[in-house]
Amino acid sequence: MSLQLFAHPFSSYCWKVQIPLDADGTPYTYRNVDPSEPGVADELKRYWPIGKFPVLVDDGQVIAETSCIIEHLQAHHPGPNIWIPEGEQGRRVRFLDRFFDLHIQGNMQPSVNHALRPEGCGDLYGAEQGLKALRTAYDWLEANLPDSEWAVGDTFTLADCAAAPALFYADWVDEIGTSRPRLKAYRARLLAHPAVTKSIEGARPYRAYFPLGAPDRD
Ligand SMILES: N[C@@H](CCC(=O)N[C@@H](CS)C(=O)NCC(=O)O)C(=O)O
């Protein structure tokens, strides 16, 4: 078995896949696409011309898109965790996975893009619209997260793998704040999970990449 993960330690979507790999104790080779590692980003593009990461290469088979990668891991490299349960619980897990990717990550990204673009090329309107939608998504989570430890019951699933990086970085863009205690407490539980902590620590040397500053609270 040879698993290679083309990824960047600071990338939120890469955390989403590192978390289940590390939580299961699945062995893999980390191929860091950072510019300080010459040739790795070019190799990634040979496997996956779209160029987005993470990408998993499993004995030559290329798997892209984080939710699909986690589904592949569950099918072909199962560990102690069930990332996508069967039945109704599984449908809720898949829905929340989409929610965190689309409505949390997707709505914070315009602010990050705006801050990263060269002078005069930003999109302030898009960033502000994104922030409005991000706050609506926070409010929906505050009203709809369950009383259980994790997003769907007491088992850490794909939904929590998506939630951890999304809420970690979104809070830096627009703080969840004390008016959303349920969501704030859920984020804190996620950050304390050992596999999430590993990704947070691995990303620490790259924090200067984040254009909106890295608050010292995490
Ligand atoms: N829908 C994709 C999103 C992947 C994604 O946007 N990755 C970012 C890093 S967090 C990336 O590749 N950025 C570099 C680029 O867009 O060129 C997934 O779930 O895998």
Side-chain angles (χ1 to χ4, degrees):
M1 179 190 85
S2 130
L3 285 181
Q4 295 185 76
L5 185 71
F6 287 81
H8 192 285
F10 197 65
S11 146
S12 53
Y13 279 109
C14 296
W15 288 19
K16 184 177 156 187
V17 169
Q18 290 164 208
I19 291 165
L21 281 164
D22 293 335
D24 275 344
T26 305
Y28 65 103
T29 305
Y30 199 98
R31 306 295 312 281
N32 188 348
V33 300
D34 190 73
S36 62
E37 304 276 340
V40 181
D42 291 338
E43 198 180 335
L44 161 73
K45 280 207 177 125
R46 285 197 291 277
Y47 280 119
W48 182 238
I50 303 295
K52 287 200 181 275
F53 43 87
V55 164
L56 185 75
V57 180
D58 182 353
D59 266 336
Q61 184 186 356
V62 178
I63 305 108
E65 289 296 324
T66 48
S67 306
C68 303
I69 294 173
I70 295 171
E71 205 170 331
H72 177 92
L73 290 173
Q74 177 161 301
H76 299 284
H77 304 276
N81 298 282
I82 304 290
W83 300 111
I84 310 170
E86 294 294 325
E88 202 54 50
Q89 237 193 340
R91 284 188 279 282
R92 185 69 177 171
V93 164
R94 287 177 200 277
F95 162 68
L96 286 172
D97 170 57
R98 293 300 75 231
F99 189 93
F100 286 111
D101 278 15
L102 297 172
H103 302 300
I104 300 293
Q105 298 245 38
N107 285 323
M108 78 165 147
Q109 198 59 45
S111 287
V112 176
N113 293 345
H114 175 67
L116 279 173
R117 287 203 182 130
E119 185 81 28
C121 300
D123 176 10
L124 184 59
Y125 180 78
E128 284 173 354
Q129 291 297 107
L131 281 183
K132 262 193 219 160
L134 179 63
R135 289 171 194 145
T136 303
Y138 281 168
D139 290 338
W140 186 88
L141 285 167
E142 182 65 22
N144 288 281
L145 278 175
D147 291 332
S148 52
E149 188 173 12
W150 303 117
V152 184
D154 291 319
T155 308
F156 194 93
T157 65
L158 166 71
D160 304 295
C161 297
L167 293 174
F168 179 84
Y169 285 114
D171 189 64
W172 286 7
V173 170
D174 194 59
E175 202 168 351
I176 291 165
T178 50
S179 65
R180 301 182 186 97
R182 182 175 286 260
L183 182 56
K184 193 176 160 71
Y186 174 53
R187 180 180 183 272
R189 281 196 299 283
L190 288 167
L191 268 52
H193 186 286
V196 179
T197 302
K198 187 175 175 198
S199 281
I200 293 171
E201 292 310 315
R204 213 174 274 282
Y206 301 92
R207 282 190 175 194
Y209 284 2
F210 198 74
L212 302 171
D216 53 16
R217 65 177 177 274
D218 296 310

